[in-house]
Amino acid sequence: MSRDFAFNLLHKSNLCIFFLLAITIPLSGITLKGKIVDTNTLQPLSFVNIGVKGTRYGTASNSTGDFVLNIPDKYENGIVRFSCIGYEAKEMSIKELINQPVVKLTTSVIRLEEVTIIPDSTLRTFLKKVWIKIFISDNIILGVVITFL
């Protein structure tokens, strides 16, 4: 009875070791932790896109600018890209990011062309004038145009 007990105990301990190894091996890798802030104000930046270039590994910063990115060891020489609307994208090597966990993004100004918004009544008046001008120049009766509009 004691021999069976020892065998069962040894068998169960081997199974436990196997399962522990099976669980911990995939979890090995590089864990990058850091914070993303604005260069000028040093305020944390929320929801910045973070990804390792050329891979499917990525994450986003939380509402306080903090992030955690787990990647396999085979990408230890990879480049991490940070991007956010209103800021210039920044790229850092993984080794550089391990030594410097605070990432500063610089604002980017995008100049847009002037936009003119015409109120509905002005647009209607404008279209009437255009419509009348087109039909008068084509010798069509003015009354038909006014009735149509």
Side-chain angles (χ1 to χ4, degrees):
M1 181 117 177
S2 65
R3 186 176 183 143
D4 288 336
F5 177 74
F7 178 75
N8 284 338
L9 184 61
L10 180 64
H11 183 66
K12 288 180 182 179
S13 65
N14 285 342
L15 280 175
C16 288
I17 291 171
F18 173 75
F19 283 119
L20 285 174
L21 286 175
I23 291 171
T24 56
I25 288 174
L27 295 178
S28 67
I30 301 168
T31 300
L32 299 173
K33 294 181 181 181
K35 186 173 195 81
I36 304 174
V37 297
D38 183 289
T39 302
N40 299 326
T41 65
L42 298 179
Q43 292 295 317
L45 296 176
S46 305
F47 312 113
V48 174
N49 295 313
I50 305 162
V52 180
K53 286 180 71 172
T55 71
R56 61 181 179 90
Y57 296 98
T59 188
S61 62
N62 65 12
S63 60
T64 60
D66 297 316
F67 69 92
V68 176
L69 177 60
N70 296 311
I71 54 175
D73 288 328
K74 67 181 182 178
Y75 298 114
E76 67 182 345
N77 295 321
I79 302 292
V80 179
R81 183 173 177 14
F82 301 87
S83 63
C84 183
I85 295 175
Y87 290 87
E88 292 178 11
K90 184 172 187 173
E91 294 182 356
M92 297 175 71
S93 70
I94 291 175
K95 292 178 182 176
E96 182 182 7
L97 193 56
I98 290 171
N99 297 328
Q100 181 186 357
V102 176
V103 178
K104 295 179 181 178
L105 295 184
T106 306
T107 57
S108 172
V109 177
I110 300 172
R111 300 198 186 271
L112 301 175
E113 293 182 26
E114 181 180 331
V115 176
T116 305
I117 300 173
I118 302 173
D120 187 40
S121 62
T122 306
L123 179 62
R124 187 176 188 143
T125 304
F126 173 75
L127 290 175
K128 268 186 184 181
K129 289 179 182 178
V130 170
W131 194 261
I132 289 170
K133 187 174 183 177
I134 291 171
F135 279 101
I136 288 177
S137 66
D138 289 340
N139 297 324
I140 295 184
I141 301 172
L142 184 62
V144 173
V145 174
I146 294 174
T147 307
F148 179 71
L149 291 175

